[in-house]
Amino acid sequence: MKQILISLTLVFVSSVATAQDVCPEFANMVNVIVKDGTAGKELAMEKAFAKQKKKGIYRGWDQSIRLEGSSAKYAVKPTHSFAFRPFHASIHPRQQIKLYPFNPSKGDRELSVGGTTNWGGSKDRKSQDSSIDLKFQKIKDGCYKVTPAVKLPKGEYAFSLAGADTSSTGDVQGTNAGWGASVEGQVWFGFAIK
């Protein structure tokens, strides 16, 4: 009987240790799940900035979010999943994390988020939500497995995470009636699929 209890304890401890290895150590972080789902590797935090550029004489302004560098530090396989530890356990993770595709642009990675005309109107065609749908599965309290709903093609991607303030979100598209987006309060984690 004693051996059975010891064996059960070892199985329980090893399963908890595996879940902890996959999940990020700190809140508002993202790990890529590696080693057949038994470990997590922390994605690098990216430096993001909002950019506005004039487009021709009459076309107005285009707004974008840019991440420094032409490629993310980490490349993952299209089959990889991610582990996310949200700040707020009482708010659905879908409201705290978004995944966006980025395009290379002049040594950076760029996501178009909106624009304004010369007369202050919105360029609605660029203000659509281009985030990639995500599926969530609870790993343990305060940690979720995040999987893109579609197979991601080769390219550059980044997770946008809401900040600690409950008024911030991971959304960047179409804010302020086309006046662009702010990265204030957001945290970005990039990766590439090669």
Side-chain angles (χ1 to χ4, degrees), residues 31-46:
N31 283 357
V32 61
I33 299 174
V34 295
K35 296 185 181 176
D36 297 328
T38 60
K41 182 177 178 183
E42 191 176 290
L43 289 178
M45 199 177 306
E46 299 273 2

Side-chain angles (χ1 to χ4, degrees), residues 100-170:
Y100 293 100
F102 279 75
N103 296 313
S105 177
K106 299 179 183 173
D108 292 321
R109 291 158 283 156
E110 181 180 48
L111 171 66
S112 293
V113 295
T116 57
T117 65
N118 281 336
W119 301 274
S122 173
K123 291 183 178 181
D124 292 331
R125 65 182 173 81
K126 291 194 174 188
S127 296
Q128 298 172 357
D129 183 6
S130 64
S131 66
I132 298 165
D133 286 335
L134 299 172
K135 296 187 283 185
F136 297 90
Q137 179 183 354
K138 187 174 182 178
I139 295 173
K140 64 178 186 172
D141 284 344
C143 184
Y144 295 87
K145 180 179 179 181
V146 179
T147 309
V150 296
K151 184 178 177 184
L152 300 177
K154 291 181 180 180
E156 297 290 330
Y157 300 89
F159 287 106
S160 169
L161 279 57
D165 182 354
T166 55
S167 67
S168 72
T169 69

